[in-house]
Each structure stands twice: as C-alpha cells, then as structure tokens.
Amino acid sequence: MKELKQEQISAFKRFIEEHNEFIIVGHKEPDGDCISSCIGISYILKFFNKNYKLINAGPFKRVEIKPYADLFSNEVGFMSQIDIQNTGLIMCDCSEFHRIGEFDTDLKEIDTFFIDHHKSAEALNLPNSIIDSSSPACALIVQLLYEALVGQVTNQVAEILYFGTMTDTGFFRFLSPSDANVLVTISRLLQAGADPRKTYDYITSGKAYSTRKLLGVLLNHAEQYANGKLVVTYETMEDTKRYGQEGRDSDLLYSSLLAVQDVQAVVFLRQETENTCTAGLRSKDSVDVSLIAQKFGGGGHKNASGLSTNGKLETLIPAIVKEFCKVL
C-alpha cells in the first residue's frame, strides 16, 4: 500500500471545497469495504460541513452489511442543471460507471472524484482520482484521507473502517510480507477503539441455516479442470429459489475449495436470470483472475475478481475454463 501523495490529498480537498452538495456512491451488490468506504467519506464531508447523500443500487445481500442499508438510498432524485453544477460525485471502491448500476439520474453528468483500489480501475490516470491497486482495501485509502484532512480517527470512524478493511483482507489472510505498512495503518484503528474480536464475530455470525445447505449443494456441483488446478462450481436458478438469495457465504466456499491440494483458482457462477450470470473468481498468488474477469466484462483484484455477463451456465463454464487453461 502506498502512502498518499500531497498532491492527491490537495486534489481531494480542492474537490470538496469546489462543491456545495455531494453524492457518494459505490458499486452495486456492495460488500463491507464498499459500504465502509462510502460511510468513511461521509465523515470527512461532515467535518467540512458539506451536505451529502449516500446512494447504492443494492441489493444488500450480505448479512453483515444489512444494518447499514437504511443509510443508503437507491434513488438520486430530480436534479436541475444548477444542481448538477453544484454537486460533486464521489465514487468509492469502484471507478466504472457501469458497475454502480442504474439510477433515476445520469450520474455521468456530475463532476466526479474516484477512490478505488481495484487493479482493473478505469480512472487510473484521471486527475480527480486516488487509485492504489496495491492497497488491500479501499477503506485503507479512506482512512489515510481522513487522517490527512481531519486528524486522528474517532472510535466511530475506526470501527466502520476496520470493518471494511477486514472484509477485503480476509482478516489479514490476503496480506503479504510487503504489506507491513498496512498493519501499521490498521493499528491506529485499534488504538482508536476498533475491536478485532467483536468485528470478526459480527462478520462471521448470523448466517441462515439455508446458507449451509446451499454450501453443500455448491460443493456437490464442484468440478476440477486444468489437471486439478481449477475448480468451478455453480448455482442454478432452482438452487436460488430453494435456498434463497440472501446471506450467501461464498467466502467459506472459496476458502474450502482453495484449500484443496493443487488447486490454484476457483470460479463460482450463478445463473441470475434466464439470460444473465454473475461469477466470482478467486486464486492463489500466482494466478491473476482480474485479467480473465476483464475478458467477460468484469474486473477486480489479482486474486479476487467478479463479473456480470449475458449467457447461460452451460456455455459460460466452458468459455471461462478455456481462458483459465491458457494460464494454468
């Protein structure tokens, strides 16, 4: 993770000062990092006495983020040209407009600042952006911004940013020796009152019994490819109808399958509608799944990416396997 440059801090402060109203948005189907990053930015705007609106297209499927859903709206509301000129859009944990979903107002017309950490970020070279793909969580970038512009984090800020960081680092499982400065940065959240045990229990508890039944189905669907280096599993629309679509525990699915001997990558596809699928891709260090996700209109990190595309399981699985066979 890189330290913020003074010009990045100044650019974001200038962006805040140049607008009276703000919209804060993250990617659709948000996770903990997305939600906490957006809320963290709202705390910075509060410090500068700016008005803001948190929006997200949802759905808030994950159990751990449901309590925050009421803070977000899925509507922007009517905006006149004067409103658009006075408003700044801050996009967190995402830098592609197609990933935020559809709203009742075209957000592309609004002056935008991007804060992201995905390797596939499209706003990498734009002046109004802070994008660090070496940061394991967007919440860490927001923490650095808060400390630079506001000062030491409060307990309230520390708790929400720690929550976001833990979801994207897998409770530090995804860090490498080069991430020593990440632990130093996170330690300041602990000093401010963030509780590791409480946060872990909060994120991992409260799962519905049906998620465990669904996990068994997905494990049963799993097949190995590429001489055992790739595992692909899937969820049909019938599976979703039977077990529900709320509170899935895909993290446990990925970790279980990646623990299998010789496995280097895991793909989990879900048939969302008759003609659309979503997929999550996870891998160990040497395999860059973001490159494969991009081939199907998705993106993300080197070892954790996702995609949403038209198609059916029976055609997408062979196509994705073919791409993996080129690199495994």
Side-chain angles (χ1 to χ4, degrees):
M1 184 182 75
K2 302 173 184 175
E3 292 295 324
L4 291 181
K5 298 178 182 178
Q6 185 56 50
E7 52 263 39
Q8 293 176 310
I9 298 170
S10 298
F12 187 63
K13 183 179 181 182
R14 185 165 56 250
F15 185 82
I16 293 176
E17 294 172 341
E18 289 175 349
H19 301 86
N20 297 320
E21 306 285 337
F22 289 87
I23 295 173
I24 308 170
V25 64
H27 57 78
K28 59 185 177 181
E29 293 199 27
D31 56 8
D33 188 32
C34 176
I35 293 302
S36 69
S37 297
C38 290
I39 296 175
I41 289 297
S42 77
Y43 291 143
I44 296 177
L45 295 181
K46 281 183 181 179
F47 176 80
F48 285 94
N49 295 314
K50 298 290 185 174
N51 296 319
Y52 65 87
K53 185 174 186 178
L54 290 161
I55 65 170
N56 194 283
F60 285 67
K61 293 181 179 179
R62 297 170 181 261
V63 173
E64 65 271 20
I65 65 171
K66 284 183 179 294
Y68 301 103
D70 289 343
L71 297 176
F72 293 78
S73 173
N74 60 4
E75 296 181 350
V76 178
F78 173 77
M79 296 182 69
S80 66
Q81 280 302 313
I82 294 178
D83 293 333
I84 292 174
Q85 292 172 6
N86 290 332
T87 300
L89 176 69
I90 301 176
M91 194 179 296
C92 294
D93 200 33
C94 175
S95 64
E96 300 88 18
F97 279 95
H98 70 269
R99 292 190 62 220
I100 65 174
E102 296 183 359
F103 294 94
D104 51 349
T105 297
D106 187 1
L107 298 180
K108 293 180 181 179
E109 297 182 20
I110 303 175
D111 191 18
T112 305
F113 199 104
F114 302 93
I115 302 173
D116 195 8
H117 71 130
H118 292 101
K119 185 177 180 180
S120 58
E122 294 178 355
L124 185 59
N125 297 315
L126 296 181
N128 277 358
S129 67
I130 299 176
I131 297 177
D132 179 10
S133 61
S134 68
S135 177
C138 188
L140 284 167
I141 301 175
V142 175
Q143 178 187 343
L144 295 180
L145 274 174
Y146 185 98
E147 291 171 335
L149 295 174
V150 181
Q152 183 176 348
V153 295
T154 64
N155 177 256
Q156 183 182 36
V157 176
E159 286 183 345
I160 189 65
L161 293 180
Y162 186 77
F163 162 66
T165 299
M166 288 302 93
T167 59
D168 258 28
T169 63
F171 305 100
F172 305 129
R173 286 180 294 129
F174 307 142
L175 299 185
S176 64
S178 62
D179 291 318
N181 63 335
V182 170
L183 297 178
V184 173
T185 302
I186 293 173
S187 70
R188 298 196 291 271
L189 300 180
L190 302 187
Q191 292 170 347
D195 188 328
R197 182 179 299 178
K198 179 181 176 181
T199 304
Y200 178 85
D201 288 343
Y202 172 74
I203 293 175
T204 59
S205 300
K207 310 297 184 183
Y209 178 67
S210 60
T211 64
R212 272 40 191 167
K213 299 286 286 186
L214 177 59
L215 179 62
V217 171
L218 300 180
L219 290 173
N220 192 51
H221 286 171
E223 296 289 346
Q224 286 184 291
Y225 301 88
N227 295 320
K229 297 178 182 179
L230 172 68
V231 174
V232 178
T233 189
Y234 59 88
E235 178 180 328
T236 66
M237 293 177 66
E238 291 74 19
D239 295 330
T240 304
K241 183 177 180 180
R242 181 174 182 181
Y243 298 105
Q245 58 181 350
E246 304 298 322
R248 294 184 180 94
D249 200 359
S250 54
D251 290 339
L252 182 57
L253 173 68
Y254 294 129
S255 62
S256 298
L257 294 176
L258 282 171
V260 175
Q261 183 178 0
D262 297 327
V263 171
Q264 296 182 22
V266 171
V267 177
F268 168 34
L269 291 105
R270 182 185 303 122
Q271 189 79 52
E272 298 286 358
T273 70
E274 291 290 345
N275 299 303
T276 62
C277 288
T278 59
L281 294 75
R282 299 293 186 271
S283 68
K284 295 182 178 177
D285 290 340
S286 60
V287 182
D288 189 343
V289 292
S290 70
L291 298 178
I292 294 176
Q294 288 179 57
K295 293 180 181 294
F296 296 88
H301 308 290
K302 176 183 178 183
N303 301 122
S305 293
L307 61 92
S308 180
T309 185
N310 293 328
K312 296 180 180 293
L313 291 173
E314 53 265 33
T315 55
L316 278 174
I317 289 177
I320 291 176
V321 169
K322 181 179 179 180
E323 293 299 328
F324 268 100
C325 287
K326 295 177 182 178
V327 298
L328 290 178

